[in-house]
Structure formats: structure tokens, C-alpha cells
Amino acid sequence: MTALYEIQPAPALSAQSSILTSLPILILNVHSRCNCRCVMCDIWKRDQSKEMRTVDLERHRASMQKLGVQRVVLTGGEPLLHNDLKAFCEFFREQNIRLTLLTTGLLLLKRAGSVAALFDDVILSLDGPEDIHDAVRRVVGGFSLIQKGVAAVRKLNPGMKISCRTTVQKANHMHLRDAVAAAKSLTLDSISFLPADLTSAAFNRAEGWPLSRQSEIALTLTELAALRQEIELLIETHANDIQSGYIAESASKLRHIADRFREHLYAERGSAPRCNAPWVSAVVDVDGLVRPCFFHPPIGDLKRTTLEEALHGAAAQNFRNSLDVATNPTCQRCVCSLNYQSATSMPRSSTN
């Protein structure tokens, strides 16, 4: 997804440096459970419910200030399931840190007041038009709940930016144009597309998916051809939306979605996206483990250290010092990226 984070540019960072001079973006998995049962995700299968505790944030306040954290992104699981969301968010708002909510949208109506007051922007998961979305999420009436929730938040905070992202996979690969129409019907400010992650150990898939499970989400050769045709029709019929940024991806990036499915189908080595996420951001799991992004192994543990200590520890520095994004197998299969380009540019992202 592009231009998700409206933050002040940090100093330019070298992709060869193992030392972080700033951390503009911090992503927190604040709740372990989810209220959807998505066909392409296993988070909802977790047995135990865990959440980040507000009281545990205090020991990292100095680290966030020293690292210059400008944007905190709450994800999960479903962040709106957090039992003390107001206090959790106010910890960051006291420090003038902007807050982004990544959500399924099912609880927007119920928690509209909190969302409107606590967050700077919202990013919904949208899988297509109503019937497709509800089938993928396996939640009857899910689309309708999102529609009512968006309306409730907009009534309380008309200026809030609410956008969506669509994960492309077998169940919706012929409905990209329908997804754009659905986003507009929900009065959303923009839409972004990314291919489904098929091979990583992220999203509660510690051992990764077996081939049989991957095939439920991946595309066949016939479906790949259909996706390519749908992408070309999307590019043709929504040229103005691409140009204006309503569709976040360029035509070439939209075509690259099909390339990712082709690479998986033919077991080809993929091309890694331009990404400097490990040098400008970090992901903290609900259990305190710190990752350079969603897909790489942990490089620290906030139960044992402060955020600054974790990011400047030996494991973190060794990871950044040895990482070559272009040749790293995990990066070559990555379905998203964060590309913070320079001291004068805005970060560009396609996060899952």
C-alpha cells in the first residue's frame, strides 16, 4: 500500500548501516485474536488470547523518544479487541506520535467513538464486493458491518482518512474492479492491492503452509491468465483512479501481483521489492518479540530489554549488517515492502 504513513522525513539511512539513527515507524501486534476466519490467514486459529499491556509501554517511552518514533501502527489480530484501547492509545498521543489502525472493520460501529477520537487514520481489510468479502472472511454480514462502521466514524470525525487494502488470491482474483467499486460504495479514500502471502511463517504459520494448503490460495495456470486479464481491465477502466492515487499502485505494480503468483506456480526465484523496512521500522509481536519486518525472524525481546536496546543489540545489528534485500530468499518472496527513499521523500509501503 502506498503512502500509508504521513510522517516527517527522517535523515537518509544507508542500507549498509547496522546502526539505527531513527525509527520513524513502529508496528505493534497488540492483540493475538481476530474476529474473522479468513481463508488466507491462520491468526484466528490461535487458542489463547493475549494483548500488549499498557503498563508495559512505560519502560520503552525513552527509547521511542530517542529513536524519534513518529508513527505507531496497531495491528494484530484485531486491535479493536484490546480491553484498554483508550489508555493504550493515549500513551502514544501524549508523545505526539500519530496512530494508524489496521482492522477488519467489524468493530468500527461498536467502537466508533474511540476510533474517531484516538486514531489519525484507518486501514480496512476489504476482499471485494459484499458476497466475495463475506465469503473470504467467513463472517455473515461482515461487509454490512463495515459499511455501518465507516459511516459512524465519518459522522464523528469527517476528516479522518479511511482506506482499504485487498489481498488478491484464488477467491477474488477476478474481482479487482469490483473491489474498487466496493471501496467507493463505502466512501473509502483509497484502495491498495497486494498478492496473498503463500510461503512465509508469518500470520500464525510457524511451520509454513504445506503445498496442499498453499494451493487453496494460489492460482492455477488458468486462473493466472484470468488475473492478468482482470489487471489489464482494471488498468484500462480505472486509469484516472491510478493517476489520482485512489488506487495506490501504479500499473506496473499491479501487473507485478500476477508475477508473484507465476513465480509460485513455476517455483521461480522472485525479484525482491525495493525495501528498507529493517532500517526505518520494526514490528513487535504481542509476546514482545521484535522483528525487522513481518516476515523475518526475531532480532530482540522487549521482555528482557528496552526497545532501543533490542534494536541496537548484537542480533539486530548482525541481521542488518548481513541482509542483502536483493538476494535474500525471504525478501525475494515478499508480497509487501516499506521503501523509505530519502530525507525528502515520504515512505512507500505495501504492508500486509
Side-chain angles (χ1 to χ4, degrees):
M1 183 175 297
T2 58
L4 290 184
Y5 312 119
E6 299 175 1
I7 64 175
Q8 295 300 312
L13 300 173
S14 167
Q16 301 303 315
S17 174
S18 63
I19 302 295
L20 294 185
T21 59
S22 66
L23 188 79
I25 301 164
L26 179 61
I27 303 168
L28 304 179
N29 290 317
V30 299
H31 202 284
S32 64
R33 299 298 296 272
C34 189
N35 50 6
C36 284
R37 299 170 62 86
C38 302
V39 298
M40 67 287 191
C41 177
D42 289 349
I43 289 176
W44 59 272
K45 295 181 179 179
R46 289 171 175 159
D47 294 329
Q48 296 182 337
S49 179
K50 301 179 182 178
E51 64 181 26
M52 285 189 180
R53 299 190 308 164
T54 307
V55 67
D56 293 330
L57 294 174
E58 189 59 43
R59 63 191 298 263
H60 305 294
R61 183 188 292 268
S63 292
M64 294 179 193
Q65 294 173 349
K66 189 170 183 180
L67 290 166
V69 174
Q70 298 176 35
R71 169 76 63 169
V72 166
V73 182
L74 301 192
T75 183
E78 171 52 60
L80 294 181
L81 289 172
H82 198 282
N83 289 314
D84 196 10
L85 187 67
K86 184 175 186 291
F88 196 89
C89 291
E90 285 181 345
F91 171 84
F92 300 106
R93 298 194 71 85
E94 290 170 0
Q95 303 174 69
N96 295 317
I97 295 174
R98 296 175 68 82
L99 285 169
T100 293
L101 171 66
L102 299 188
T103 177
T104 66
L106 298 180
L107 289 174
L108 282 180
L109 178 61
K110 184 176 181 179
R111 309 202 71 171
S114 295
V115 173
L118 297 173
F119 292 94
D120 295 286
D121 60 294
V122 176
I123 303 170
L124 300 166
S125 296
L126 182 69
D127 297 294
E130 184 170 6
D131 57 337
I132 299 296
H133 177 85
D134 288 358
V136 169
R137 297 276 147 177
R138 293 190 281 203
V139 176
V140 176
F143 187 95
S144 178
L145 275 175
I146 291 175
Q147 190 171 43
K148 295 173 183 176
V150 170
V153 173
R154 289 213 183 280
K155 184 176 181 180
L156 296 170
N157 187 346
M160 175 172 282
K161 182 179 179 181
I162 307 177
S163 57
C164 70
R165 59 184 181 183
T166 297
T167 302
V168 180
Q169 40 113 345
K170 183 185 288 287
N172 65 1
H173 71 282
M174 295 180 64
H175 297 278
L176 275 56
R177 289 170 294 161
D178 294 334
V180 175
K184 291 185 175 183
S185 76
L186 294 170
T187 72
L188 302 182
D189 294 300
S190 65
I191 183 171
S192 180
F193 295 93
L194 73 162
D197 171 44
L198 300 169
T199 59
S200 83
F203 314 116
N204 196 37
R205 303 185 317 219
E207 304 300 324
W209 273 345
L211 290 176
S212 59
R213 182 70 175 90
Q214 293 177 27
S215 67
E216 296 175 11
I217 307 302
L219 303 185
T220 64
L221 184 59
T222 300
E223 290 166 340
L224 177 58
L227 173 61
R228 289 197 184 279
Q229 182 179 22
E230 177 66 14
I231 289 173
E232 293 305 320
L233 289 170
L234 176 66
I235 293 169
E236 178 183 350
T237 59
H238 288 276
N240 290 338
D241 287 325
I242 294 173
Q243 184 176 11
S244 70
Y246 187 85
I247 295 176
E249 287 76 27
S250 65
S252 62
K253 286 186 177 180
L254 289 170
R255 293 184 176 112
H256 189 60
I257 293 173
D259 293 338
R260 276 293 187 247
F261 286 103
R262 185 206 67 231
E263 292 160 2
H264 179 78
L265 185 62
Y266 291 105
E268 297 175 352
R269 178 179 297 177
S271 58
R274 294 183 60 189
C275 180
N276 58 1
W279 292 272
V280 299
S281 67
V283 177
V284 181
D285 290 338
V286 70
D287 57 4
L289 293 178
V290 182
R291 300 176 185 270
C293 73
F294 285 101
F295 305 105
H296 282 286
I299 54 174
D301 187 349
L302 296 193
K303 289 182 178 179
R304 301 176 180 175
T305 67
T306 65
L307 176 63
E308 184 183 11
E309 290 168 343
L311 293 175
H312 289 163
Q317 290 195 49
N318 289 339
F319 173 83
R320 290 189 293 269
N321 194 48
S322 62
L323 178 63
D324 179 3
V325 172
T327 60
N328 182 274
T330 296
C331 297
Q332 289 175 335
R333 295 190 299 268
C334 188
V335 298
C336 63
S337 66
L338 176 66
N339 183 18
Y340 193 87
Q341 299 176 40
S342 70
T344 58
S345 68
M346 300 301 292
R348 312 292 286 178
S349 172
S350 318
T351 3
N352 184 50

